[in-house]
Amino acid sequence: MQLRPVQWLTALLILLASPALAAGETCPQIVVDCGMGLRRAEPSELLPGILATGHNQVPACVTPERLTEFLSRRQRERFGKPVRLEARFAAVADAYAVLGGRLGVRWDLAYFQMMYETGHLSFTTWSNKRRRWSEATVRPEQMNFAGLGATIENPVGESFQSLEAGVLFHLKHLLAYSGRLQQPPTARRTCQVQAEIVACAKSLQRPVTFTDMTGMWAHHAIENQYAKTLRKLARAFAEEHECGADYPFVAGPAAADAVDVSGARAAIAPPDTNRSIQGERYPSRRHSTGKKPSSISSVPERR
């Protein structure tokens, strides 16, 4: 995507604005174990690398306008009726395109991750008890598009001053997962966990993919089909715009989703509803209704 000079200027101003963690401010480090997620990740070719380098570029068929239309259609499918995109989110796709291009991130996949994390910007999650979509713990006014800082202990997560800041800190968090240590301004959560995340990423000794990221982002990535959902969103977008050739990774067999990084098929057991991660317990994402929330922002573990 070719950015006009005014867009570059806008991106630069955003980079300097709305810091969640300012330069010079310290944050307590949090110990995280990303090994489990990496061991159970899919093969790297199934989802592209986080960094947009060489042949791994955002396809030409992807535009902010098309992404916005795609999100609106998913909202209609989610609620079974037309839903108007809130005016405050009208420029979110443009922000991902401008800032993602500036930072060198595959912003199309980052946008699909945002869709998953926010329930297609509805900020809702399925309530089995109420049998309907309910408000997630992360609310729209927080401009937190990836559930950053939302943990068992603090389910609300962080809040950012603007849409652009929320997108920026999501992308910078992804850059940490790619193996690049981020300097302030960053989200507080990025500052807290990035030292170990970067070390884990570098241990791969290859480009970090969005598949790897989903395994580190949430240890239960296999159970809640995080990587599969991103792949399905990319496939749906490619089919709607007849650009499947630009998304070759979506054409693989669904069975490949259960392959670990060593190439051996992983024997995935049914989700354990009381599984413990670093002393944290989380409920199963599969419900008796058969419905699954499109976002894990309501009960996240690893961000």
Side-chain angles (χ1 to χ4, degrees), residues 112-128:
F112 295 145
Q113 185 191 15
M114 177 278 295
M115 290 178 61
Y116 175 54
E117 287 282 349
T118 65
H120 313 315
L121 283 179
S122 69
F123 292 88
T124 60
T125 187
W126 178 257
S127 170
N128 188 44

Side-chain angles (χ1 to χ4, degrees), residues 75-303:
Q75 284 189 333
R76 289 196 296 271
E77 293 174 1
R78 186 180 183 88
F79 297 108
K81 61 182 180 180
V83 179
R84 182 184 295 275
L85 181 65
E86 290 189 48
R88 58 181 162 181
F89 297 134
V92 69
D94 291 283
Y96 273 95
V98 173
L99 289 170
R102 174 70 179 83
L103 296 173
V105 174
R106 275 293 299 262
W107 50 267
D108 54 336
L109 271 295
Y111 186 88
F112 295 145
Q113 185 191 15
M114 177 278 295
M115 290 178 61
Y116 175 54
E117 287 282 349
T118 65
H120 313 315
L121 283 179
S122 69
F123 292 88
T124 60
T125 187
W126 178 257
S127 170
N128 188 44
K129 181 178 180 180
R130 300 178 181 178
R131 294 183 176 274
R132 62 179 176 83
W133 296 106
S134 301
E135 291 185 351
T137 56
V138 178
R139 302 305 306 136
E141 57 272 15
Q142 292 176 241
M143 296 296 172
N144 187 342
F145 300 112
L148 297 180
T151 62
I152 296 294
E153 295 85 358
N154 176 31
V156 175
E158 298 186 52
S159 296
F160 305 118
Q161 297 177 8
S162 65
L163 178 149
E164 293 81 7
V167 172
L168 170 64
F169 295 134
H170 175 200
L171 294 171
K172 293 190 77 171
H173 202 66
L174 284 175
L175 283 173
Y177 275 90
S178 78
R180 295 184 176 183
L181 200 65
Q182 298 300 295
Q183 299 300 317
T186 68
R188 183 170 297 276
R189 182 66 175 178
T190 305
C191 177
Q192 292 173 335
V193 302
Q194 70 168 337
E196 294 201 29
I197 288 174
V198 168
C200 288
K202 289 184 175 179
S203 72
L204 290 175
Q205 297 184 334
R206 58 168 173 76
V208 182
T209 70
F210 275 88
T211 294
D212 300 319
M213 179 276 296
T214 63
M216 292 188 284
W217 194 280
H219 279 167
H220 57 280
I222 296 297
E223 286 86 345
N224 71 16
Q225 300 186 335
Y226 199 150
K228 291 181 182 179
T229 300
L230 298 188
R231 190 163 169 244
K232 288 176 181 177
L233 285 170
R235 178 188 291 120
F237 179 87
E239 290 176 348
E240 288 183 15
H241 296 285
E242 299 181 350
C243 56
D246 293 325
Y247 281 101
F249 62 90
V250 305
D257 287 330
V259 182
D260 65 19
V261 292
S262 67
R265 291 189 178 277
I268 306 301
D272 181 350
T273 57
N274 289 308
R275 188 171 188 167
S276 177
I277 294 178
Q278 300 179 44
E280 298 174 351
R281 307 179 80 84
Y282 61 85
S284 169
R285 293 305 185 277
R286 297 184 183 277
H287 305 286
S288 59
T289 60
K291 286 182 175 288
K292 293 178 294 183
S294 297
S295 168
I296 60 173
S297 293
S298 57
V299 194
E301 288 77 42
R302 295 275 294 62
R303 281 175 172 66

Side-chain angles (χ1 to χ4, degrees), residues 50-74:
I50 293 174
L51 299 180
T53 58
H55 297 292
N56 184 41
Q57 299 292 332
V58 177
C61 70
V62 181
T63 66
E65 293 77 18
R66 286 181 170 181
L67 287 175
T68 301
E69 293 170 0
F70 179 68
L71 183 144
S72 296
R73 282 192 287 272
R74 301 288 84 74

